[in-house]
């Protein structure tokens, strides 16, 4: 059990039994009940932030779905509940939520909780505006301009255009659409009949599945997204890329889009960007870099080279500040080297929404550049965080996360009887097996790996049931299940890394 | 000027000069500085909520982009700013933000600020999780299940499947993709070559431009999105739909998707759903209803009929609680009558992310159903709001908004010398012209309308410069610029409606 106590947060007797009808805007003057209600919610939230950072607290109190439904009263009914019940609802929700900011949560690419970014997101909620025009989001639109230009500067571009999207998958879709539009401007109006053959795209077999999804969504068919083999370290084999392009051209298809990944999901591998850029130039393909995961390292000179060398040659780049940089979910950016492409690709000329006879310089309006129309304000949390850390603060964070990863590698190697490091990581993903007692000293052959692989789901279940640790696992094309830990939370210390390994050992003792 | 005073929110002298490095998680134990910082941000936010509801406050303090940049220091630099500066940054941002919850803001489909939904979004930020699996969002995933099933119940379905998407445009894209997949399951793999002709889709000329965008994104080309004419009231002319389907079939194209709009963006018109459903049945087309705007009226028996009669015959329905229902931005839902379609359409079999050998019933995982991979948690703000209001509370809200709209219509008719009502509204959109003094009594001909149209941008500029009122305007195919006011905020009263009309008159006095 975590120490969130849903009965701790008592409203005054008078307020407790009221309903939301007693809050602003249903009461017209300055409202003490609204203040009391909101401050009580925040008391809970601030407690949660503190409890989450207490290492003696559990990460989660696991319940199976059917049990959870019985445990919590979470139906929605005809009648309102009281303000006090709403507070209890909030507390119960957090009591059973997985503490993704706990220092022992190594489970996702996005771990941790940046409290400044969180404060930014609270303000975003309160401002409750949409990002389509300067008219209704003036300060936020300017912040987008400033932050996105700064990011392009770190990519190495002096110009270009960018937009925030709801996640890396949609960012990749923007890149795909812009590439198709750039090469075949008639596609927008006339579709696939606009061109004399089938479009075909290329990405590595380690890339995020959203790249393949573009081929499905965009009507090419996943057949026309060629998955290029990767090497043992998860990097695209560039000679295979060239071979595939030549082969597809030979059957009359039109190669138009190559996605390189800078930081793969599982292994954290960086594709060789310069070599891929050369191929793209040679065959006239759009060069997209999916740096959703690895993009943060653009801010860290120590790691930028050699991993991201050549990134500036890309036509488009996905970069998610909600991953390595720790901005709150969601915060994903897509950048284009060529200005004007976003709008010419996505504009549907909805003059009834985006009028041109306005009071101000409408070049600041973004509504016509996007496939979303209304967009959530994803900039303020990042802008405020950037103010709070400074670019140098992000650099320090990257260095710190990478140092901790090297510490983990060192500790794994020092305990090579218990752990097997699959490869030297390039990012903060560490891939490894736990070797149970009965198999220690056995040769590292397929048999051992298969046995170690079988333990992953068992140990993971035990992690969740004990609530002490969260580390992910998965198989890949070459290997059975293996653990992949992620150090992307600023909360993690060397002691936490030791805890991770010790706890896996404790949970796997008897297997 | 609004009365947000950036210098009011003083941290203690000791905390003020610290940077974010002094906050959790950089300090490990319970942190008074973190509490102080967060409570100070909330003091500001709660003040803003109160000030926003003060009718004597301005809605905005308009500045041109270049002036705003000079006025505010919003660059991001190498070095961090102090905690006190972050608080000032937050206050400045709100000082110059447009108060979308002000009772005199009638500008967008989404107006108002539901403070319970806002509290929900604060919690969402603090929980900072992703919605792909039950593993990391157990309570939120169950809430999605419960609320989406409840919404399907109000649509009139006993089964089906649904998902939350980042805005109505992406919801419509989900519908388009599912329709194509249902009719041509091979399209996902083989693309347009899977079928023996061109796909063609149909929507009204009043529909949201995102429907046309689907044709572009999906590779059909916007040529293959046929815009069906609408009548004087903005409703699709169903005989024209049938004529277009027959015509397109006659040239060998394959009609597959018809979008009806329940609540158009400008006029708030409802297409005749039953008649369109008949046509879809007759020609074997998928029947999608874009009720992003009008969906809220499903909760109000008084208005559901006849506007939404036939909605239960749809194959898919977009419904945005962030519009009429007042949930915080963004909260958009897409519903499918057939269960299983979302996953078979969108699944890319990323076993490395969505493993099947888990501790719990993985049917609760949603990651494989969506084109986004990670999704923002958009459910909690709606769930908490639903708990707070009860379904009956939403019904009352709909009734109240519609009553106020009728009040506005009445007041416009009573002042027919000054205002011209373009049509009797079906939703909370009211379309009208302001008639300046010099033209009062003139015949309502094209000449008068053209003159009135020219005043819209001028009066709108004056609204923004005076900061007292926000009402949108736009032209359409039949008319020059006209005002379109929206009453979707629970803050609005009859007196506010009177204020709107009086203030337009005041601002237009001399024109």
């Amino acid at each position: 059990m975590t120490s969130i106590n849903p009965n701790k947060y008592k409203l005054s007797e008078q307020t407790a039994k009221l309903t939301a009808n007693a809050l602003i805007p249903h009461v017209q003057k300055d409202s003490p009940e609204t203040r009391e209600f909101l401050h009580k919610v925040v008391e809970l939230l601030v407690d949660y932030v503190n409890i989450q950072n207490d290492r003696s607290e559990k990460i989660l109190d696991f319940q199976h779905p059917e049990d959870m439904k019985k445990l919590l009263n979470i139906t929605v009914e005809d009648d309102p509940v009281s303000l006090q019940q709403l507070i209890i609802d909030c507390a119960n929700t957090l009591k059973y939520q997985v503490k993704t900011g706990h220092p022992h949560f190594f489970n996702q690419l996005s771990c941790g909780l940046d409290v400044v970014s969180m404060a930014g997101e609270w303000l975003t909620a309160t401002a409750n505006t949409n990002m389509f025009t300067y008219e209704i989001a003036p300060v936020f639109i300017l912040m987008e301009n400033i932050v996105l230009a700064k990011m392009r500067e770190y990519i190495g571009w002096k110009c270009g255009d960018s937009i925030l999207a709801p996640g890396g998958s949609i960012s990749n879709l923007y890149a795909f659409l812009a590439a198709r539009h750039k090469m075949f401007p008639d596609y927008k109006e006339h579709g696939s009949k606009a061109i004399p053959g089938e479009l075909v795209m290329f990405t590595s077999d380690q890339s995020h599945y959203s790249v393949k999804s573009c081929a499905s969504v965009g009507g090419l068919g996943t057949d026309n997204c060629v998955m290029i083999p990767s090497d043992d370290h998860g990097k695209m084999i560039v000679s295979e890329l060239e071979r595939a392009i030549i082969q597809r051209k030979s059957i009359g298809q039109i190669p138009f889009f190559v996605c390189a990944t800078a930081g793969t999901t599982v292994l954290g591998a960086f594709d060789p960007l310069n070599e891929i850029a050369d191929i793209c130039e040679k065959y006239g393909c759009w060069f997209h870099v999916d740096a959703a995961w690895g993009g943060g390292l653009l801010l860290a000179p120590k790691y930028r080279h050699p991993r991201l060398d050549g990134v500036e040659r890309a036509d488009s780049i996905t970069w998610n500040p909600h991953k390595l940089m720790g901005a709150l979910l969601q915060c994903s950016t897509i950048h284009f080297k060529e200005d004007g492409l976003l709008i010419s690709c996505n504009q549907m000329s909805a003059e009834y929404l985006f009028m041109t006879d306005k009071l101000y310089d409408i070049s600041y309006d973004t509504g016509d550049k996007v496939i979303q129309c209304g967009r959530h304000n994803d900039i303020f949390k990042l802008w405020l965080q950037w103010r709070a850390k400074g670019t140098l603060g992000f650099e320090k964070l990257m260095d710190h996360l990478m140092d901790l990863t090297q510490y983990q590698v060192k500790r794994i190697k020092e305990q090579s009887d218990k752990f097997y490091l699959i490869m030297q990581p390039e990012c903060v993903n560490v891939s490894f097996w736990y070797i149970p007692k009965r198999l220690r000293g056995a040769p590292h052959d397929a048999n051992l790996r298969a046995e170690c692989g079988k333990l992953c789901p068992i140990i993971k279940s035990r992690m969740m049931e004990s609530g002490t640790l969260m580390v992910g696992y998965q198989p890949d094309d070459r290997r059975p299940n293996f653990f992949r830990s992620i150090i992307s939370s600023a909360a993690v210390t060397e002691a936490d890394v030791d805890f991770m390994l010790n706890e896996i050992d404790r949970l796997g003792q008897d297997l």
Side-chain angles (χ1 to χ4, degrees), chain A residues 266-337:
Chain A
V266 176
L267 300 173
F270 287 75
D271 287 341
L273 302 185
N274 267 319
E275 294 173 47
I276 295 172
D278 291 342
I279 298 290
C280 288
E281 279 174 19
K282 184 167 171 186
Y283 294 96
C285 290
W286 180 278
F287 179 33
H288 175 61
V289 176
D290 179 357
W293 179 220
L297 298 184
L298 288 165
L299 302 176
K302 192 170 162 191
Y303 297 103
R304 177 185 177 123
H305 310 285
R307 289 169 184 73
L308 287 143
D309 283 349
V311 70
E312 70 287 352
R313 297 172 65 188
D315 295 296
S316 55
I317 296 166
T318 295
W319 173 1
N320 288 7
H322 73 217
K323 291 197 164 92
L324 275 180
M325 291 163 71
L328 249 67
L329 291 161
Q330 284 182 311
C331 189
S332 173
T333 64
I334 171 75
H335 306 271
F336 294 93
K337 190 184 272 164

Side-chain angles (χ1 to χ4, degrees), chain A residues 423-442:
Chain A
M423 69 186 61
Q424 178 66 34
E426 285 192 286
C427 196
V428 298
N429 319 39
V430 179
S431 303
F432 61 97
W433 280 294
Y434 171 68
I435 306 168
K437 268 192 184 151
R438 64 185 160 89
L439 295 171
R440 289 181 193 164

Side-chain angles (χ1 to χ4, degrees), chain A residues 274-436:
Chain A
N274 267 319
E275 294 173 47
I276 295 172
D278 291 342
I279 298 290
C280 288
E281 279 174 19
K282 184 167 171 186
Y283 294 96
C285 290
W286 180 278
F287 179 33
H288 175 61
V289 176
D290 179 357
W293 179 220
L297 298 184
L298 288 165
L299 302 176
K302 192 170 162 191
Y303 297 103
R304 177 185 177 123
H305 310 285
R307 289 169 184 73
L308 287 143
D309 283 349
V311 70
E312 70 287 352
R313 297 172 65 188
D315 295 296
S316 55
I317 296 166
T318 295
W319 173 1
N320 288 7
H322 73 217
K323 291 197 164 92
L324 275 180
M325 291 163 71
L328 249 67
L329 291 161
Q330 284 182 311
C331 189
S332 173
T333 64
I334 171 75
H335 306 271
F336 294 93
K337 190 184 272 164
E338 181 177 330
D339 194 9
L341 211 47
L342 258 178
I343 194 155
S344 77
C345 176
N346 298 315
Q347 184 175 45
M348 288 289 138
S349 292
E351 217 213 321
Y352 67 92
L353 289 178
F354 308 114
M355 291 84 74
T356 50
D357 54 358
K358 284 184 174 177
L359 172 62
Y360 58 87
D361 176 0
I362 57 156
S363 71
Y364 285 93
D365 291 351
T366 62
D368 240 8
K369 284 184 182 181
V370 298
I371 60 171
Q372 285 187 263
C373 186
R375 279 188 304 129
H376 186 259
N377 171 2
D378 286 334
I379 192 61
F380 188 71
K381 57 191 160 205
L382 174 60
W383 178 84
L384 195 69
Q385 190 198 16
W386 207 313
R387 294 277 285 182
K389 293 185 113 58
T391 315
L392 293 173
F394 280 122
E395 180 183 341
K396 271 185 212 152
L397 176 61
M398 298 304 121
D399 288 353
H400 177 64
L401 299 174
M402 294 293 274
D403 284 350
L404 282 172
T405 306
Q406 286 313 309
Y407 177 79
Q408 183 184 349
V409 165
K410 174 171 147 284
R411 294 295 294 135
I412 285 178
K413 286 182 176 168
E414 285 168 1
Q415 302 173 73
S416 63
D417 56 328
K418 294 180 189 167
F419 296 100
Y420 183 83
L421 181 73
I422 291 176
M423 69 186 61
Q424 178 66 34
E426 285 192 286
C427 196
V428 298
N429 319 39
V430 179
S431 303
F432 61 97
W433 280 294
Y434 171 68
I435 306 168

Side-chain angles (χ1 to χ4, degrees), chain A residues 435-442 451-452 454-455 509-511:
Chain A
I435 306 168
K437 268 192 184 151
R438 64 185 160 89
L439 295 171
R440 289 181 193 164
E451 284 299 308
C452 292
K454 284 181 202 159
L455 303 189
Q509 277 287 341
D510 60 333
L511 295 174

